[in-house]
Amino acid sequence: MTRDQARAAAQAAVLTGEFDIARQLAAGLLQADPADRAALIVLAAVEPRLGRPAQGRMAGARAYAASSTSRQKYEAARLTALAAANEDRFTLSQFWLRRAATVAPTPQDYEQNQADYRGLRALNPWQTDVQLSFAPSNNVNGGSADLYNIIDGLPFVGILSGSAQALPGLTASADLRVSYQLDRTAVSQTTLTGRLYDRGVWLSSEARALSPTSTNGDFASALAEGEVRHVRALKNGQIAGAFALGRSWYGGEVNYTYVRASVDRNLALSDTLRARFGSQIEQRFDLNQPADMARALDASLAWTLPGGAQMSGSLGWDGTQSANANARSDIYTAQISFAPAQPMGPAQVRATLGASFADYPDYAFPFAVPGGRQDRSVFGSFEMAFPDYGYAGFAPVVTLGALRADSNVSRFNRSEVSLRFGLRSTF
């Protein structure tokens, strides 16, 4: 039997279910040529059927390395993913499906790969979400738009330091979440999630000239958190409760440690309208001062318009009780967003507009501010996602953001424009 005949016979044996014969023929071909792609593909297909998924996965990986065309690589990657799934190694299987997505020969193949990935995600108790972005900004430190500090109702005028003014530069952030399903039934799910967030800042030469003593690390921030969340399905939606423990850093120093409890309720009001109500309470501990208590309430509606466009609106309140007079506050926020059904050229877009009002009734800087401090802000963003230009199921996202804040304490007059570049998973 020639090699071509052996290959044809092995492939026929796979199709007729003669897996032992196919394996023997493939083994003989690999003795003659360890890089025989056709033989490796046969092993990748039959080894899991014979109860040896690990051997099938390794053969599939070798077949992928020996492949030269997109169709060949797609076939090998999917067989490797299937073998890994048979080992219950779902995360590794998802990795191979993402590799398959990079070489899918047709749109139909890509869509099938997406559907298979979603199916694996439903089976996998482990879930990983990574968000990466960087953004040039004219105000990386949240500084004032003014040089002078003027307080309405007081005759004093101060000059703000360079670090208190808006500093231009670049920000970059990484947000990693890893979740594990502790328990899952037909009507409920309990998940443990760990989160690490880090935001770095790079000051421009203009910023360094304005504030020579400032360093990049002065405005960096980070967060580490662990959360347990339980979700239960109800007749017309679901209810969830969560408990979290975490720590926040700013400027390289511990900002505070916190514990948080939250409850939220999602319900379907109709086929096209959904509502959400949420509340949370957070206790913050700082070694240098008494603990703060932060509370929040929010409500939102999301609806699908005729034609498929998506619109949503939300209202929120955040309140902080603290022994520190300058931290006591009530903040009210409203926003609305709209996403048309059809893309604009190659981009799927979403526009958001919002406004907020913040009241600090006991604010002093350093003298008591008559009537307290009030900040009024408007903000907006225009997001563009490019799914057709993605790689391995990750698409680039560009977001133009703007904010304007006016305060009776001019230190908190702010103006910011940023252009954020990031990646988003498409499946």
Side-chain angles (χ1 to χ4, degrees):
M1 184 180 291
T2 66
R3 291 188 189 180
D4 286 340
Q5 290 173 330
R7 293 188 188 101
Q11 292 165 357
V14 174
L15 296 175
T16 58
E18 299 290 343
F19 301 134
D20 278 317
I21 294 175
R23 181 180 181 279
Q24 292 175 37
L25 290 168
L29 285 167
L30 290 173
Q31 284 182 351
D33 180 8
D36 190 314
R37 181 189 176 277
L40 291 168
I41 285 291
V42 168
L43 285 182
V46 303
E47 290 283 26
R49 304 287 188 93
L50 296 171
R52 294 186 288 268
Q55 287 81 354
R57 172 175 51 80
M58 290 185 285
R62 290 170 60 192
Y64 184 89
S67 298
S68 57
T69 68
S70 294
R71 170 62 68 182
Q72 289 178 343
K73 288 181 179 291
Y74 181 77
E75 177 187 38
R78 284 179 59 80
L79 283 172
T80 308
L82 179 59
N86 285 335
E87 294 181 87
D88 291 337
R89 300 182 66 177
F90 298 116
T91 300
L92 182 59
S93 182
Q94 289 174 301
F95 167 79
W96 277 101
L97 284 183
R98 285 199 179 272
R99 295 195 76 172
T102 67
V103 290
T106 68
Q108 292 76 21
D109 290 324
Y110 186 85
E111 290 173 4
Q112 180 61 55
N113 204 66
Q114 277 186 312
D116 293 341
Y117 188 96
R118 294 189 185 102
L120 271 178
R121 185 169 56 193
L123 294 173
N124 192 357
W126 288 97
Q127 298 294 335
T128 301
D129 178 42
V130 181
Q131 296 183 21
L132 304 173
S133 66
F134 67 94
S137 170
N138 67 341
N139 192 349
V140 297
N141 62 325
S144 174
D146 299 322
L147 171 61
Y148 300 103
N149 186 38
I150 301 173
I151 300 174
D152 292 352
L154 291 179
F156 308 106
V157 176
I159 298 178
L160 296 175
S161 65
S163 61
Q165 299 177 51
L167 300 177
L170 177 73
T171 68
S173 65
D175 196 351
L176 170 66
R177 287 180 171 89
V178 179
S179 301
Y180 180 75
Q181 290 179 6
L182 297 173
D183 180 62
R184 183 173 183 174
T185 69
V187 296
S188 68
Q189 177 177 297
T190 303
T191 305
L192 175 65
T193 300
R195 181 189 179 197
L196 293 174
Y197 171 83
D198 187 72
R199 177 182 181 268
V201 170
W202 287 266
L203 299 173
S204 68
S205 56
E206 179 185 349
R208 294 186 181 280
L210 184 62
S211 182
T213 60
S214 294
T215 66
N216 294 333
D218 291 341
F219 309 108
S221 59
L223 181 144
E225 180 183 282
E227 180 186 69
V228 177
R229 180 177 177 85
H230 180 76
V231 181
R232 180 167 291 274
L234 301 177
K235 184 177 180 180
N236 62 341
Q238 64 182 32
I239 189 168
F243 178 82
L245 173 66
R247 174 168 287 184
S248 168
W249 291 263
Y250 186 81
E253 302 290 336
V254 175
N255 196 11
Y256 56 82
T257 301
Y258 62 90
V259 293
R260 182 181 67 241
S262 62
V263 177
D264 58 81
R265 173 77 164 95
N266 288 277
L267 66 156
L269 302 177
S270 70
D271 291 340
T272 59
L273 182 63
R274 297 192 64 86
R276 178 189 177 277
F277 304 94
S279 65
Q280 71 175 39
I281 185 168
E282 182 176 285
Q283 187 80 42
R284 299 171 180 172
F285 303 95
D286 187 333
L287 295 178
N288 299 318
Q289 61 185 27
D292 291 350
M293 177 72 74
R295 295 170 295 167
L297 296 172
D298 66 272
S300 63
L301 287 174
W303 57 99
T304 302
L305 302 177
Q310 303 289 322
M311 180 170 283
S312 63
S314 66
L315 296 172
W317 165 77
D318 292 273
T320 300
Q321 297 177 339
S322 175
N324 177 3
N326 286 357
R328 291 194 287 270
S329 64
D330 291 285
I331 302 174
Y332 306 88
T333 304
Q335 69 177 43
I336 189 168
S337 66
F338 175 76
Q342 301 301 320
M344 294 178 59
Q348 296 176 346
V349 303
R350 176 178 293 274
T352 300
L353 288 174
S356 69
F357 173 76
D359 180 34
Y360 297 80
D362 305 310
Y363 197 84
F365 192 73
F367 304 100
V369 175
R373 168 188 151 201
Q374 290 86 37
D375 300 349
R376 295 169 177 82
S377 305
V378 292
F379 56 88
S381 66
F382 188 76
E383 176 188 280
M384 297 173 288
F386 300 89
D388 293 338
Y389 294 90
Y391 182 80
F394 293 97
V397 181
V398 180
T399 306
L400 175 64
L403 177 145
R404 172 70 186 182
D406 294 300
S407 175
N408 60 329
V409 180
S410 67
R411 161 66 179 84
F412 299 98
N413 290 339
R414 290 191 296 139
S415 177
E416 181 179 355
V417 177
S418 64
L419 186 63
R420 185 174 302 277
F421 302 88
L423 293 173
R424 173 186 298 164
S425 177
T426 58
F427 55 78

